[in-house]
Amino acid sequence: MKDIMSGSQPAPVVVGVDGSQRARTAALWAADEAVRRGRSLRLVHATDTDGREAFLNENDVLRISGEGRELLDDTAAAVAKRHRGLLVTTELSHSAPAVSLHAAVPGDGVLVVGHRGLGGFDPLLLGSVGPKVAAGADTAVIVVRGAADAVETNTVLVAIRDEHDLVRARHAARAADARKSALRILHVWNVLQSVGNIVTMLDGTDELARGRMGSVTAVADLIREEFRELTVHLDAESSFSVAAVLIEASHQADLLVMGGRRSPGYIGPTLGRATHTLIHHAHCPVELVPRHLSRFGSTS
């Protein structure tokens, strides 16, 4: 069943379900997030029968489709039990998982997937293609990680590099505001990446660091001005590994917001090293915000 919603309504939170425990956890987390953001929830299941039609007969397709509808109905019932007032729609797609999810989410929607687990999984499981979904998306993508019973920290963490990440910081501020949580802005300065391998020979290193902190501080000041009731903390660390610092910081966060694409100049829908590492090792859900996004709904 595919329900079409009015254009006047906020875009939904879209989540993929595939029958795995990871996907079910992601679906329930997405339902909570939809309530927090004042959005509806759309459950998507992809059978990928179109890509396997040469190996399937008509009865196989009917059986797989029937199982998919049962899964959607079962997941919708679990969500309804948890959030009775939440509008939930379902969509059964016959395309591949990543293609189905990309097609299901509007430009200002939010896409949620389960994280990739350890070991070998069926390639049709949505959880196993989470990185592919995240890398190819033009919208915000949340990869659900961390323990299902994790204690809330009441903190949203956002990683920023410079003044060009103001949009991302705003996005994180809205997420924190929806949770009634604090926002922690964290700038990690990778010294070697910034000035090369001869750091000790450069007299201007401290000056460069002060310049970067100036732009990051300006972002924090703008967020405090726009979100006056939001508690905003600004921290900065220097390290040889941005990912390591963020992984450690994710222990004390309910959501980590970071860039979903590499810097301009890279070709194709790729993930940078830090983002790729975080979606596999963070201790909380990770929201990837593509750098090209310039606006989000007021309830984002």
Side-chain angles (χ1 to χ4, degrees):
M1 176 181 66
K2 181 176 181 178
D3 300 282
I4 306 300
M5 294 180 292
S6 169
S8 62
Q9 295 176 314
V13 172
V14 177
V15 60
V17 295
D18 61 8
S20 68
Q21 183 57 48
R22 297 186 311 282
R24 189 175 184 87
T25 297
L28 294 176
W29 189 94
D32 296 342
E33 193 68 7
V35 170
R36 283 189 288 259
R37 299 192 184 204
R39 296 174 180 244
S40 62
L41 179 71
R42 180 177 297 169
L43 305 173
V44 178
H45 175 68
T47 64
D48 196 26
T49 50
D50 285 349
R52 299 182 291 158
E53 58 184 357
F55 309 99
L56 301 172
N57 58 42
E58 183 177 356
N59 288 334
D60 291 330
V61 173
L62 290 174
R63 174 182 56 79
I64 293 171
S65 296
E67 291 172 351
R69 292 190 182 94
E70 289 181 7
L71 172 61
L72 288 169
D73 290 343
D74 178 67
T75 307
V79 169
K81 184 177 180 180
R82 187 166 178 145
H83 297 291
R84 297 190 179 279
L86 177 62
L87 174 61
V88 181
T89 61
T90 62
E91 178 178 342
L92 181 70
S93 171
H94 300 293
S95 300
V99 173
S100 300
L101 287 171
H102 290 157
V105 61
D108 59 344
V110 179
L111 179 56
V112 178
V113 292
H115 72 87
R116 181 176 181 174
L118 299 175
F121 291 103
D122 187 324
L124 298 181
L125 291 179
L126 285 171
S128 70
V129 297
K132 182 178 180 180
V133 170
D138 292 322
T139 58
V141 177
I142 301 176
V143 180
V144 177
R145 292 198 49 80
D149 58 349
V151 177
E152 292 188 356
T153 65
N154 296 317
T155 299
V156 170
L157 173 67
V158 59
I160 69 171
R161 289 180 288 184
D162 50 39
E163 67 276 9
H164 299 296
D165 290 328
L166 176 59
V167 168
R168 187 189 308 162
R170 285 192 179 116
H171 188 93
R174 293 189 182 101
D177 187 55
R179 287 173 165 75
K180 308 302 179 185
S181 299
L183 175 67
R184 182 188 180 195
I185 299 175
L186 179 58
H187 170 66
V188 184
W189 185 37
N190 187 323
V191 178
L192 293 183
Q193 185 181 55
S194 299
V195 298
N197 293 318
I198 55 172
V199 175
T200 57
M201 298 175 61
L202 295 177
D203 296 332
T205 302
D206 289 343
E207 183 178 349
L208 178 59
R210 286 193 296 270
R212 293 177 65 93
M213 274 308 302
S215 63
V216 173
T217 300
V219 170
D221 290 342
L222 286 171
I223 294 300
R224 291 188 180 103
E225 180 66 22
E226 294 180 30
F227 299 86
R228 293 182 178 275
E229 296 184 1
L230 185 65
T231 300
V232 179
H233 303 287
L234 173 61
D235 294 309
E237 295 187 32
S238 61
S239 174
F240 294 118
S241 173
V242 173
V245 173
L246 293 177
I247 289 173
E248 181 62 28
S250 70
H251 277 289
Q252 301 301 321
D254 298 321
L255 178 68
L256 166 59
V257 180
M258 59 188 305
R261 301 286 181 97
R262 292 182 183 180
S263 301
Y266 286 90
I267 299 175
T270 56
L271 291 175
R273 291 180 182 177
T275 50
H276 190 273
T277 300
L278 266 294
I279 64 175
H280 286 288
H281 300 290
H283 299 283
C284 69
V286 178
E287 181 163 7
L288 306 177
V289 181
R291 291 180 65 87
H292 72 275
L293 290 185
S294 59
R295 68 178 181 87
F296 298 92
S298 59
T299 55
S300 294

